[in-house]
Amino acid sequence: MAAPIPSWTIALAACLALAAPPVRAALGDKQIIFDNPAADSTALATGGACAPVWASANDWPGVTRAAHDLQADLGRVTDIQPAFASAASPCPMAIVAGTLGRSALIDDLAARGKIDVSALRGKWESFLIQVVDKPFGGVARALVIAGSDKRGSIYGIYEISQQAGVSPWYWWADVPPRKSPSLYVAPVRWLEDPPSVKYRGIFLNDEAPALAGWAKEKFGGFNHRFYAKVFELILRLRGNYLWPAMWDNAFNEDDPENPRLADEYGVVMGTSHHEPMLRAQQEWKRHGTGPWNFDKNEAELEKFWAEGVRRNRDYESIITIGMRGDGDMPMSEKENIGLLERIVAEQRRIISREVNPDVTKVPQLWALYKEVQGYFEKGMRVPDDVTLLWCDDNWGNIRRLPTPAERSRSGGAGIYYHFDYVGGPRSYKWLNTYPISKVQEQMDLAWRFGDDRIWIVNVGDLKPMEFPIEFFLSFAWRPDRWTNDKLGEFGEDWAAREFGPGHAGEIASLVDGYTRLNGIRKPEHVAPETFSITNNLEAEDIAGQWEGLREKGEKIFQDLAPQYRDAFYQLVLYPIKACAVVADLNIAAARNRLYAVQGRATTNLWEQRARDYFSEDAALTKFWNTGFAGGKWDHFMDQTHLGYTTWQEPVANAIPAITEIQVPAKATLGVSVEGSPDAWPTDNVSIPPPALPELDAGRGGAQSAWIDVFSRGAGAVEYRVVPSVPWIHVTTGAGSVTREERLRVTADWQEAPKGISTGAIDVTSSFGVRVQVSVRALNDTSSIPVQELRGHVVINPLLGGQSVPSRGHAWVPLHDFGRWGDAVTSDRHLTQSFEEPGSGPSYTYPFWVVKGGEATIGVALAPTLNFMPGHGLRFAVTVDGGAPMVDDYVANVGGGGAWPVSVMNGIRWVHFPAKVSLAPGRHELRLWMIDPGVVIERLTVDFKAPDQTQLGSPDPLVGPRSTLQ
């Protein structure tokens, strides 16, 4: 073992260190381990030797096991295998890990005053990392990792692993260790306080066919060899809690080693929201006698439950209490509060008899999932020591948070969240569809309203959700660390740790980009009618954004060193390529359907393109399962994702309905225009003549429009384009088209008269076809930043407005949030309402009306739910200082189909019924805060019906995102 580096070399080595990429700390943590020496640093590995790892034999087995992981991790990084020992022996430098009150090594250091552990004693999951001089006889220095308890020690150990260069995802995502022959630790005393959320976990659910098929092939099923990998991952991510796979599995029965090993590792086990008393649903199916009905089968259920808690009483667990119907269904058609209270009372008696006479010392939860929340709202209560596990709506929107009175309960409150779901209105379980900005916004609400006892998230098959899983558990550890304005840093730190700093910013933007697009519509829910083919270049915009992400991802893939490519493919590139193909397929099918109606000769071309995309989807699935990483992840892409018609997944992937037409031999000219699904010439007298959307001299996408000319037969068609006035410009004046050609129409604003002008474009063919397209233009170049375009004023809530605080609170920005990227919400300290409309914080937006008239005010909001009992989520708007118009936008969210539409679209539109009369000129729209948690993503002033598109009218200050790639 080499001695500490001589001081005279430190300055030179520190200069050389500037050229080396840094080793990344755990996300958000201070960096203490480096590749090169600096002042007062100590070598952990250098000159072909590595500091030994010491852990006392009397420590928790899970701590000793984690210390062996550290030994292996240092070997992975340095290619030098350090020694492992349970007692001290002379050496220049050692790594000492252990638990206060359990480790002879740590207790000896504390007793001799080498480490001050006064701030560590009695703490939950805390750790101290400190470089100590002369810790033992013959030892010059030691890097000491002292835990307040078992998991505190484990987290401290894995912190060093990660700082050394081993990602928590080294096995689960094939992230290679960051190789370095030398490692140095800075002089440090780092005391990590208890986590903000006590229990932080994941739920493996909806695990067939993907995870189940893979686990069976890789491990022979959900046995202890499988779960050992899961337990280690959870601990490396500073989680501590697991609900195991349960569709056709029973964690405790399928392999008796499972629960024992969980406890040894240090993972707290539970069972899902509908599996009480630590017994899997499958166990009742295998062994239960009689109906799953307490009113009719009390004795058998009591026996069944008693066996469950007795079996696991020596292991660390959280016991789910209560009861739902068999198979995760409502218990009965009528909410039987009295019966449920009897059930809970009997379950508590069983726990006191089988586990601990003081039942209040046994962690328990009551999951208020779906209809069970209704029992609580109607007056059912459980003892105060039971944690109330509130739930989201299965789509990432929290349904309820504790009131001030409920926050005083000793059992506290928690949240059951979803990254995966099987149920209505449509299931989603294929790939990651959650932007972390959405997760942060909702879970921040939970934390500041007192939900800090249990956070658990349904992660489906686990592997497609690597990025949001890590964010969820990191945020649970320190919500204050990851505010909305720091999410970009989280993404870049994650990318730098996994792939090195060279492309970290670009990779973070790729992950942000694909999750934002999936947040607009989850891939399982994209259909040919999702994105408009005719309005606002929407389909081109979406396809262009996916293509931009794909091109950037492919380039980075080629730029990365070969050892990083498997990890990059599964974590970044595959979800981009797979989701892009889903969008391309459905857009191709949409064009095929529309063009068949229009009689275009290219109808069959788009039919073939749809088939090609369908084949590409299958090829991508096959390559994932068998073509990369040596087939390690076979079956993980077995999940069907194309062809949904109901909430349930399709049996097999199905191509959207497409059409083949018989193309006439004789070619004739066809014309279509932006904004209309129709085509001309036509014999249908009910179809009006073609007219382009209005051209506007203002900024944004309204300065041009398009005309498609196409052949309706097998041959070519000669055509001419003649504007009626000189200020109308068309990209071409004549041509020959065998398929289709898009003509761009613009105005020469120097020649066009001021105000509103009209004209026409004659499109004629050599066969005598003539189509006249009307053109209307508005030449007004006002410099006001937000102005009317094509009958709409579109306001980005973060551009051009002025925030006015009230009583110490204000609207605050949410960046990279929602479908358009910007939003505002209440500040994170607000937990009470401003009951008088117009008394709260406000945001004032100037806007410019060109023509004037009667307008409707529209507001697009995130589909947040009314998590505060007693009312919905209210806000108000005023126009030009008028009376506040108040909306409670979730007061009746469950009725009229509003909720299914809003969660499928990831947005909820509110249009105030009262119209406002606006003259031409400048006006002001003012947004008023009433209730906390309202998230505003867009505001509109509409002089005509909103565009029939997924994304709405374009923002004049931004335009289509595809133009920004």
mmCIF file of all heavy atoms in Angstrom, residues 236-249:
data_model
loop_
_atom_site.group_PDB
_atom_site.id
_atom_site.type_symbol
_atom_site.label_atom_id
_atom_site.label_comp_id
_atom_site.label_asym_id
_atom_site.label_seq_id
_atom_site.Cartn_x
_atom_site.Cartn_y
_atom_site.Cartn_z
ATOM 1 N N ARG A 236 -28.788 1.033 -3.175
ATOM 2 C CA ARG A 236 -27.850 1.946 -3.848
ATOM 3 C C ARG A 236 -28.525 3.280 -4.188
ATOM 4 O O ARG A 236 -27.851 4.306 -4.299
ATOM 5 C CB ARG A 236 -27.289 1.298 -5.120
ATOM 6 C CG ARG A 236 -26.213 0.234 -4.850
ATOM 7 C CD ARG A 236 -25.661 -0.322 -6.149
ATOM 8 N NE ARG A 236 -24.673 -1.368 -5.942
ATOM 9 C CZ ARG A 236 -23.352 -1.177 -5.917
ATOM 10 N NH1 ARG A 236 -22.856 0.030 -6.083
ATOM 11 N NH2 ARG A 236 -22.531 -2.200 -5.736
ATOM 12 N N LEU A 237 -29.847 3.271 -4.363
ATOM 13 C CA LEU A 237 -30.597 4.488 -4.656
ATOM 14 C C LEU A 237 -31.144 5.154 -3.391
ATOM 15 O O LEU A 237 -31.938 6.078 -3.474
ATOM 16 C CB LEU A 237 -31.755 4.165 -5.609
ATOM 17 C CG LEU A 237 -31.357 3.682 -7.008
ATOM 18 C CD1 LEU A 237 -32.590 3.236 -7.779
ATOM 19 C CD2 LEU A 237 -30.610 4.772 -7.769
ATOM 20 N N ARG A 238 -30.719 4.659 -2.227
ATOM 21 C CA ARG A 238 -31.173 5.167 -0.933
ATOM 22 C C ARG A 238 -32.669 4.987 -0.722
ATOM 23 O O ARG A 238 -33.323 5.781 -0.047
ATOM 24 C CB ARG A 238 -30.776 6.626 -0.726
ATOM 25 C CG ARG A 238 -29.283 6.858 -0.618
ATOM 26 C CD ARG A 238 -28.980 8.262 -0.129
ATOM 27 N NE ARG A 238 -27.579 8.595 -0.278
ATOM 28 C CZ ARG A 238 -27.082 9.806 -0.114
ATOM 29 N NH1 ARG A 238 -27.888 10.808 0.202
ATOM 30 N NH2 ARG A 238 -25.795 10.037 -0.261
ATOM 31 N N GLY A 239 -33.221 3.937 -1.316
ATOM 32 C CA GLY A 239 -34.563 3.527 -0.970
ATOM 33 C C GLY A 239 -34.508 2.506 0.154
ATOM 34 O O GLY A 239 -33.436 2.035 0.551
ATOM 35 N N ASN A 240 -35.686 2.136 0.677
ATOM 36 C CA ASN A 240 -35.677 1.159 1.767
ATOM 37 C C ASN A 240 -36.919 0.272 1.810
ATOM 38 O O ASN A 240 -37.105 -0.482 2.761
ATOM 39 C CB ASN A 240 -35.514 1.865 3.121
ATOM 40 C CG ASN A 240 -36.649 2.839 3.436
ATOM 41 O OD1 ASN A 240 -37.626 2.938 2.705
ATOM 42 N ND2 ASN A 240 -36.500 3.565 4.536
ATOM 43 N N TYR A 241 -37.761 0.328 0.781
ATOM 44 C CA TYR A 241 -39.091 -0.277 0.895
ATOM 45 C C TYR A 241 -39.478 -0.897 -0.435
ATOM 46 O O TYR A 241 -39.162 -0.358 -1.495
ATOM 47 C CB TYR A 241 -40.072 0.821 1.300
ATOM 48 C CG TYR A 241 -41.491 0.408 1.602
ATOM 49 C CD1 TYR A 241 -41.786 -0.748 2.315
ATOM 50 C CD2 TYR A 241 -42.550 1.218 1.196
ATOM 51 C CE1 TYR A 241 -43.106 -1.095 2.600
ATOM 52 C CE2 TYR A 241 -43.858 0.892 1.481
ATOM 53 C CZ TYR A 241 -44.133 -0.271 2.184
ATOM 54 O OH TYR A 241 -45.433 -0.608 2.471
ATOM 55 N N LEU A 242 -40.168 -2.051 -0.385
ATOM 56 C CA LEU A 242 -40.552 -2.752 -1.612
ATOM 57 C C LEU A 242 -41.901 -3.424 -1.446
ATOM 58 O O LEU A 242 -42.156 -4.102 -0.448
ATOM 59 C CB LEU A 242 -39.508 -3.811 -1.971
ATOM 60 C CG LEU A 242 -39.819 -4.723 -3.162
ATOM 61 C CD1 LEU A 242 -39.836 -3.928 -4.468
ATOM 62 C CD2 LEU A 242 -38.817 -5.872 -3.251
ATOM 63 N N TRP A 243 -42.759 -3.239 -2.453
ATOM 64 C CA TRP A 243 -43.905 -4.115 -2.667
ATOM 65 C C TRP A 243 -43.504 -5.045 -3.813
ATOM 66 O O TRP A 243 -43.195 -4.577 -4.913
ATOM 67 C CB TRP A 243 -45.149 -3.337 -3.059
ATOM 68 C CG TRP A 243 -45.778 -2.528 -1.957
ATOM 69 C CD1 TRP A 243 -45.394 -2.471 -0.654
ATOM 70 C CD2 TRP A 243 -46.901 -1.653 -2.093
ATOM 71 N NE1 TRP A 243 -46.210 -1.618 0.041
ATOM 72 C CE2 TRP A 243 -47.148 -1.104 -0.817
ATOM 73 C CE3 TRP A 243 -47.723 -1.278 -3.157
ATOM 74 C CZ2 TRP A 243 -48.188 -0.202 -0.582
ATOM 75 C CZ3 TRP A 243 -48.754 -0.386 -2.931
ATOM 76 C CH2 TRP A 243 -48.990 0.149 -1.661
ATOM 77 N N PRO A 244 -43.498 -6.349 -3.600
ATOM 78 C CA PRO A 244 -42.963 -7.260 -4.616
ATOM 79 C C PRO A 244 -43.967 -7.549 -5.732
ATOM 80 O O PRO A 244 -45.163 -7.241 -5.629
ATOM 81 C CB PRO A 244 -42.671 -8.529 -3.815
ATOM 82 C CG PRO A 244 -43.701 -8.506 -2.726
ATOM 83 C CD PRO A 244 -43.899 -7.054 -2.369
ATOM 84 N N ALA A 245 -43.470 -8.164 -6.791
ATOM 85 C CA ALA A 245 -44.322 -8.595 -7.906
ATOM 86 C C ALA A 245 -45.412 -9.523 -7.381
ATOM 87 O O ALA A 245 -45.145 -10.411 -6.565
ATOM 88 C CB ALA A 245 -43.480 -9.298 -8.957
ATOM 89 N N MET A 246 -46.649 -9.318 -7.883
ATOM 90 C CA MET A 246 -47.754 -10.048 -7.251
ATOM 91 C C MET A 246 -48.828 -10.532 -8.221
ATOM 92 O O MET A 246 -49.798 -11.138 -7.789
ATOM 93 C CB MET A 246 -48.422 -9.174 -6.175
ATOM 94 C CG MET A 246 -48.701 -7.724 -6.545
ATOM 95 S SD MET A 246 -49.969 -7.421 -7.780
ATOM 96 C CE MET A 246 -51.400 -8.051 -6.957
ATOM 97 N N TRP A 247 -48.684 -10.329 -9.525
ATOM 98 C CA TRP A 247 -49.756 -10.744 -10.431
ATOM 99 C C TRP A 247 -50.014 -12.253 -10.340
ATOM 100 O O TRP A 247 -51.140 -12.671 -10.211
ATOM 101 C CB TRP A 247 -49.401 -10.342 -11.863
ATOM 102 C CG TRP A 247 -50.036 -9.065 -12.284
ATOM 103 C CD1 TRP A 247 -50.509 -8.077 -11.471
ATOM 104 C CD2 TRP A 247 -50.267 -8.624 -13.621
ATOM 105 N NE1 TRP A 247 -51.011 -7.044 -12.201
ATOM 106 C CE2 TRP A 247 -50.884 -7.353 -13.546
ATOM 107 C CE3 TRP A 247 -50.006 -9.160 -14.873
ATOM 108 C CZ2 TRP A 247 -51.255 -6.627 -14.674
ATOM 109 C CZ3 TRP A 247 -50.367 -8.431 -16.007
ATOM 110 C CH2 TRP A 247 -50.990 -7.182 -15.903
ATOM 111 N N ASP A 248 -48.966 -13.017 -10.449
ATOM 112 C CA ASP A 248 -49.121 -14.473 -10.328
ATOM 113 C C ASP A 248 -48.064 -15.010 -9.380
ATOM 114 O O ASP A 248 -47.580 -16.133 -9.543
ATOM 115 C CB ASP A 248 -48.995 -15.136 -11.712
ATOM 116 C CG ASP A 248 -49.471 -16.588 -11.707
ATOM 117 O OD1 ASP A 248 -50.362 -16.913 -10.901
ATOM 118 O OD2 ASP A 248 -48.934 -17.391 -12.481
ATOM 119 N N ASN A 249 -47.731 -14.186 -8.381
ATOM 120 C CA ASN A 249 -46.591 -14.506 -7.538
ATOM 121 C C ASN A 249 -46.918 -14.259 -6.070
ATOM 122 O O ASN A 249 -47.784 -13.444 -5.735
ATOM 123 C CB ASN A 249 -45.390 -13.635 -7.936
ATOM 124 C CG ASN A 249 -45.116 -13.679 -9.428
ATOM 125 O OD1 ASN A 249 -44.631 -14.669 -9.941
ATOM 126 N ND2 ASN A 249 -45.480 -12.618 -10.131
#
